[in-house]
């Protein structure tokens, strides 16, 4: 078994927090383990819980469109969530649930070593970038301390679910997505420069 298969299996049978009691399926995340970009949402919803896959409901459809709007497919990136099981009635995950689940996301990030972490929504942003307001910083790449390397680049974006009911936010999301290829190019150039 590969390390990634082993991780998926562990998540699928995990009982580290009470969310395991009401899930149909855990949602470990999916995509390429050599992805340059990781998208991180907050928690699975109803459709995700049913299918065991991240972002497959209405907001997932929009996320897929957004990814395709910059010439990529879901298979090129990695899509995951801060917690891997659906909270009842889609409530926000509690601090102890986030703490229990965090090591899985941390391990995914260590394996994938993404050039760019895109956080979806203010809750996901708040796990990585402290004390920022999403309405101020959406679409602005930030370098901040990562736990697997000194400086990780993050891009905080609005959550696609918010954009479903707010056409203006949807426009903003598509505009912000357009910046991703340029940000990646910049990160790669910096990597290649002689230090
Ligand atoms: N919203 C999220 O944050 N994650 C999903 O997987 C689906 C909806
Ligand atoms: Fe385990 Fe995370 Fe699911 Fe809680 S949410 S049971 S920690 S996989």
């Amino acid at each position: 078994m590969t390390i990634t298969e082993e991780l998926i299996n562990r998540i699928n049978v995990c009982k580290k927090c009470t969310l395991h009691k009401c899930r149909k399926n855990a949602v470990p995340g999916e995509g390429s383990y050599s992805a340059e970009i990781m998208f991180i949402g907050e928690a699975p919803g109803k459709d995700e819980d049913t299918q065991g896959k991240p972002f497959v409901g209405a907001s997932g459809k929009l996320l897929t469109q957004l990814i395709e709007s910059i010439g990529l497919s879901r298979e090129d990136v990695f899509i995951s969530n801060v917690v891997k099981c659906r909270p009842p009635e889609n409530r926000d995950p509690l601090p102890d649930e986030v703490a229990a689940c965090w090591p899985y996301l941390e391990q995914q990030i260590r394996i994938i070593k993404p050039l760019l972490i895109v956080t979806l929504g203010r809750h996901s942003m708040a796990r990585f970038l402290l004390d920022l307001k999403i309405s101020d910083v959406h679409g602005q790449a930030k370098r901040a301390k990562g736990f697997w390397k000194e400086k990780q680049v993050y891009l905080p974006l609005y959550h696609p679910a918010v954009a479903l009911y707010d056409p203006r936010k949807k426009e903003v999301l598509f505009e912000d997505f357009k910046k991703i290829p340029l940000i990646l190019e910049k990160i790669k150039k910096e990597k290649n420069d002689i230090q």
Side-chain angles (χ1 to χ4, degrees):
M1 210 191 308
T2 65
I3 183 165
T4 54
E5 287 165 344
E6 198 259 339
L7 180 59
I8 290 169
N9 289 346
R10 269 199 293 138
I11 294 170
N12 282 334
V13 298
C14 176
K15 295 183 177 175
K16 283 203 293 172
C17 81
T18 50
L19 292 182
H20 82 272
K21 289 189 187 159
C22 36
R23 73 178 174 220
K24 283 202 189 80
N25 293 289
V27 181
E30 66 178 9
S32 164
Y33 283 87
S34 49
E36 294 179 338
I37 312 171
M38 267 181 98
F39 290 92
I40 303 180
E42 181 69 357
K46 190 170 190 292
D47 295 303
E48 291 75 21
D49 179 62
T50 304
Q51 297 186 40
K53 293 178 178 191
F55 282 96
V56 288
S59 55
K61 286 208 180 77
L62 179 56
L63 179 62
T64 305
Q65 280 176 23
L66 286 158
I67 291 169
E68 289 173 353
S69 77
I70 54 168
L72 295 173
S73 72
R74 284 174 67 108
E75 290 75 37
D76 295 322
V77 302
F78 196 89
I79 304 173
S80 196
N81 282 299
V82 174
V83 299
K84 314 301 192 202
C85 302
R86 182 195 182 200
E89 314 298 326
N90 297 342
R91 65 158 168 75
D92 288 348
L94 301 171
D96 63 322
E97 294 159 353
V98 172
C101 213
W102 187 256
Y104 295 129
L105 182 60
E106 193 173 317
Q107 205 175 336
Q108 287 176 326
I109 295 172
R110 281 183 200 280
I111 292 168
I112 295 164
K113 300 182 169 57
L115 292 179
L116 178 64
I117 292 179
V118 179
T119 60
L120 299 170
R122 64 195 167 89
H123 295 296
S124 169
M125 176 185 78
R127 314 287 169 208
F128 299 95
L129 302 166
L130 302 179
D131 301 325
L132 296 178
K133 254 184 88 184
I134 187 120
S135 50
D136 294 338
V137 299
H138 69 86
Q140 298 173 17
K142 303 276 177 199
R143 240 188 228 97
K145 177 118 186 69
F147 44 80
W148 66 275
K149 67 176 182 186
E150 199 45 44
K151 292 284 181 186
Q152 172 70 53
V153 184
Y154 299 92
L155 179 67
L157 296 185
Y158 284 124
H159 196 290
V162 176
L164 286 178
Y165 305 100
D166 184 340
R168 174 70 198 122
K169 287 240 168 63
K170 189 167 166 181
E171 248 174 65
V172 172
L173 249 185
F174 274 96
E175 286 304 311
D176 285 350
F177 251 76
K178 278 193 203 152
K179 298 173 188 163
I180 292 177
L182 295 172
I183 294 166
L184 270 185
E185 214 173 285
K186 235 175 151 178
I187 297 170
K188 287 182 195 171
K189 182 171 180 308
E190 281 171 13
K191 259 181 98 175
N192 291 335
D193 282 348
I194 296 164
Q195 307 294 311

